[in-house]
Structure formats: C-alpha cells, structure tokens
Amino acid sequence: MEEFKEFEFFRGKVRFIQPKQHRLSVIEILFLSTLKGIKKSHIVADLGAGFGALSIPIALKFHCKVLAIERDPTMLLLLRKNVENNHLQHRVEILEADVKEIDKKLKPQSVNCVVLNPPFYPKQSATENNPYHTETYGKLEDFLRASAYILKDGGFINLLVPSFRLLEACNIMENLNIKPAYLKFFHSFIDKHAKLVRIAGVKNLNPKLVVESPLIINHKETKYTQEVWEILERFL
C-alpha cells in the first residue's frame, strides 16, 4: 500500500503530497536552478511529471505555462492535488499521456522548452514498491524522442541523467537533431566523481558545447556547501 505525506518546501511557498518512495530531493531543486531557455511567454513541457516536483516550481519561478505530462494513475492523482493546493490551475495544465504515444496527444513543435528527469536505471533494477527511478514503463530514448517531437526549432531540452549515461544521452540527442549546448556535473563531495549531469541541448541549432563549473553538494563537516545553501534560499 502506497504511503503519502504532505511536506512544505521553499520556506512554505510550496506544498507537496508525496509518495514515501518518491520524494522531492535536493538534487531536483539544484537541477531546477540550472535550467536553460525558459521565458515567461513560453510553454514548458515536463515529461514524466510525477507529482509535480518540477512542474510546480517552474510555474512559480518563471511565471510560464507548464504542460505536466504523466501516465501513472497514482502520480496523476497527486499531481492534480498538488497543482490545486498550490493554486496553479491557471499555469499548470495536466495531460494524461504515455511519452511513447505523445504524437496522439500533442502536435509537433508545440512547446518552447522540455524539462525531464527520466527514469535513471535499467528495468531490472526496479522493485515492486519503487518503479519510479527505473525504465519500467519507458526508456531514456522514449523520453528523448517525445521531447524532439514536441520541441520547437531553437528550443531547449533540459535533461538530468546519471553521468554513466552521458554519452548515451548525447548520442540519442544528436540523432534527433538536438545538439548538447551546456553540461553541468553534480558531485556529492569535492573528492568524489560526479554521479549526475544536467544536459541542456538545443533543437536544430549547432551551438558550441560549454562545460559549466561543477556543483559540489556537500561538505565533510556540514550538510551542504555554501553555494547549495544559497541556491535553496533564493530559488523561490
């Protein structure tokens, strides 16, 4: 039986009802702070929106319209409740859809930006109680193909993946005419290898790749680095 609990974030500015096994993490907030290519006038698609961990802060931060796309019935229920509880019905539109069949729900080149934090790990890593971070219902390529279909020319895709999938993700993006433009690596500690990377790519343009300064999340002595504390304080 799935367990749910309500939490407040950003000094009480955001409220989320979340599943016990799939809660908003600091890395998602840090990912949000690095997004590229979003303007107030834009339509931003959040593929695999879950309970709204990305969609709701994006709508609040950028004052743009967000199209939250999700297929899981439990996540859809929580997503609807969270959008309502945060009074964002006018900015966040919820679309029940499978990314593998996105062409049945949306027209090509219909959004300005795509944000996705797709399932990280192969299907065999899934457990009955926590399928959310594995490719149980869709692969990385499925999410990227859907992104390429709905994204306008010149639009950005912002993707968070494990570092070991960086080349795989970039190769898929290149084949879909989405060129990686910015890379940012996230390190748990300064002396540890990066576990996650944010890839920002542009559709049908040919930018020069920029590798940004890495983000170190933790100190040995304290929970977070000063840079992370400042991001958490100022994001909303």
Side-chain angles (χ1 to χ4, degrees):
M1 182 72 178
E2 190 84 67
E3 294 183 40
F4 307 105
K5 189 174 181 180
E6 185 168 351
F7 295 86
E8 290 188 348
F9 295 91
F10 304 108
R11 303 172 305 286
K13 293 182 179 180
V14 180
R15 295 161 56 205
F16 283 128
I17 302 171
Q18 308 175 93
K20 182 178 180 181
Q21 297 294 334
H22 186 51
R23 293 182 284 185
L24 179 65
S25 69
V26 67
I27 195 65
E28 288 171 300
I29 299 172
L30 299 176
F31 171 55
L32 286 166
S33 75
T34 71
L35 298 180
K36 303 288 187 183
I38 301 179
K39 297 179 180 179
K40 185 177 180 179
S41 59
H42 282 176
I43 299 174
V44 178
D46 178 8
L47 291 185
F51 58 84
L54 301 182
S55 296
I56 289 171
I58 288 171
L60 288 169
K61 175 72 172 180
F62 298 100
H63 306 284
C64 58
K65 180 178 179 181
V66 178
L67 187 58
I69 302 169
E70 179 55 54
R71 60 160 298 282
D72 181 80
T74 301
M75 289 294 122
L76 281 165
L77 177 65
L78 296 177
L79 178 58
R80 292 187 179 103
K81 288 183 177 179
N82 286 332
V83 169
E84 182 178 350
N85 288 346
N86 288 281
H87 311 293
L88 285 170
Q89 298 94 321
H90 61 300
R91 287 194 198 151
V92 179
E93 178 183 346
I94 298 169
L95 178 64
E96 182 176 356
D98 189 320
V99 295
K100 297 189 293 294
E101 299 179 341
I102 200 69
D103 58 323
K104 296 179 180 179
K105 298 284 187 174
L106 293 173
K107 294 180 180 180
Q109 299 203 45
S110 54
V111 306
N112 306 96
C113 183
V114 177
V115 174
L116 62 154
N117 177 21
F120 283 169
Y121 301 109
K123 184 177 179 180
Q124 57 266 32
S125 302
T127 65
E128 182 178 349
N129 294 325
N130 189 11
Y132 304 117
H133 296 299
T134 57
E135 295 181 323
T136 304
Y137 304 113
K139 297 181 179 179
L140 175 60
E141 184 170 359
D142 297 324
F143 282 84
L144 290 172
R145 285 193 176 279
S147 300
Y149 176 80
I150 62 176
L151 188 62
K152 293 181 179 181
D153 288 345
F156 271 85
I157 176 174
N158 292 274
L159 168 69
L160 183 67
V161 291
S163 298
F164 72 85
R165 302 195 77 173
L166 170 61
L167 291 181
E168 176 190 1
C170 288
N171 285 335
I172 296 170
M173 291 167 65
E174 290 268 3
N175 290 335
L176 295 169
N177 294 320
I178 299 174
K179 298 286 187 180
Y182 299 93
L183 298 180
K184 191 173 188 72
F185 292 92
F186 297 91
H187 298 251
S188 55
F189 293 94
I190 195 169
D191 58 349
K192 299 293 184 181
H193 296 306
K195 290 186 177 181
L196 294 165
V197 58
R198 189 271 288 123
I199 309 169
V202 187
K203 183 178 176 181
N204 285 333
L205 292 179
N206 193 27
K208 291 183 179 180
L209 179 63
V210 175
V211 179
E212 299 171 294
S213 300
L215 183 58
I216 313 302
I217 300 172
N218 300 296
H219 275 310
K220 296 290 185 182
E221 302 82 9
T222 58
K223 186 175 182 181
Y224 297 132
T225 61
Q226 183 63 32
E227 183 178 6
V228 169
W229 280 120
E230 289 176 0
I231 291 170
L232 297 178
E233 180 63 26
R234 71 172 184 258
F235 182 74
L236 282 180

